[in-house]
Amino acid sequence: MSDELAGAAELIHGAGALLVCAGAGMGVDSGLPDFRGSEGFWRAYPPYAGLGLRFEEVADPRHFAEDPELAWGFYGHRLALYRATVPHRGFGLLLEWGRAKPGGVRVFTSNVDGQFQVAGFGEVAEAHGSIHHLQCLAGCTREIWPADDVVVDLDETTMRARPPLPACPRCGGLARPNILMFGDGDWVPDRSQAQLDELTAWRRAHRDLVVVELGAGQAVPTVRRYAELASAANGALIRINPREPHVRHGRGISIPAGALETLTKLA
């Protein structure tokens, strides 16, 4: 990978601004599961293997209405896990490089874990929302509020939450995470859209940006597509992915390795 690493280092060194695009693989080196395939999901959450439930089935918004203890068992566990997780050193390296650029650094991510904010990034566009924010399940309001005070009491043998469950401060009904789930027609995108609008304006003002994409797979290609779009004008894309590093039409640099390993070598 020496040629690819040298090319990537040269791109980052000469960048006027840095755009970090990250998928679930970015958090693996921090100890977070990436839910890759049913087996990977079941290794992270054995109780769901016994129920035969895949990630896509558990992460379905209908459970909040039909079986809220099951729904909040899963999301309550993830909320506690993300709060306890320390971002790996690669986050700090990206922040250091980005802050040294005239145009600064921005983040586009499909992750809902809030790890970039914990690592010190100020402007993060969370395309699929954030587990650290809530919305009303019944839709009594489009308000989105922080989940800072939410603690879910969980039976870890069954992965079911014990009442009381998070509630809407306006109507008292059940609250749900402000996350875009599978087949989700009720997600309130306002907070994420405001972040995306800010990112779009920033991108238009910095044509000399370099895109560093990390841990973004093709199963849900939101991040890969955005990284390709953002780098379309100059081809300044660095794709870091141990399993799916291919770049289309040679428009970028492909590095088939993990995030922390690669960022450390670049440093």
Side-chain angles (χ1 to χ4, degrees), residues 8-96:
E10 184 177 356
L11 272 180
I12 294 170
H13 180 72
L18 193 66
L19 173 59
V20 178
C21 295
M26 180 62 180
V28 170
D29 293 311
S30 300
L32 295 177
D34 66 357
F35 304 148
R36 182 179 175 85
S38 295
E39 294 301 324
F41 176 59
W42 290 337
R43 279 195 299 272
Y45 291 102
Y48 296 124
L51 297 173
L53 288 174
R54 296 176 292 110
F55 171 59
E56 302 91 285
E57 294 172 316
V58 178
D60 187 321
R62 67 184 174 86
H63 293 309
F64 283 94
E66 298 176 3
D67 194 346
E69 287 80 12
L70 173 70
W72 265 115
F74 178 52
Y75 284 98
H77 183 276
R78 289 177 67 188
L79 178 60
L81 173 65
Y82 296 152
R83 284 172 172 168
T85 299
V86 177
H88 61 74
R89 179 172 176 263
F91 285 87
L93 291 173
L94 289 166
L95 182 60
E96 177 186 334

Side-chain angles (χ1 to χ4, degrees), residues 45 51 70 83 92 95 116 123 156 170 175 177 222 224 262:
Y45 291 102
L51 297 173
L70 173 70
R83 284 172 172 168
L95 182 60
F116 280 99
E123 300 291 344
E156 294 200 8
R170 179 170 177 174
T222 306
R224 290 174 77 99
T262 303

Side-chain angles (χ1 to χ4, degrees), residues 9 14 18 20 22 38 44 61 69 79 91 93 105 114-115 150 162 164 168 188 196 211 219 223 228 234 239:
L18 193 66
V20 178
S38 295
E69 287 80 12
L79 178 60
F91 285 87
L93 291 173
V105 59
Q115 289 288 286
V150 170
R162 301 183 182 97
C168 171
V188 179
L196 290 169
V211 178
V223 173
E228 290 169 356
N234 60 6
R239 173 164 285 156

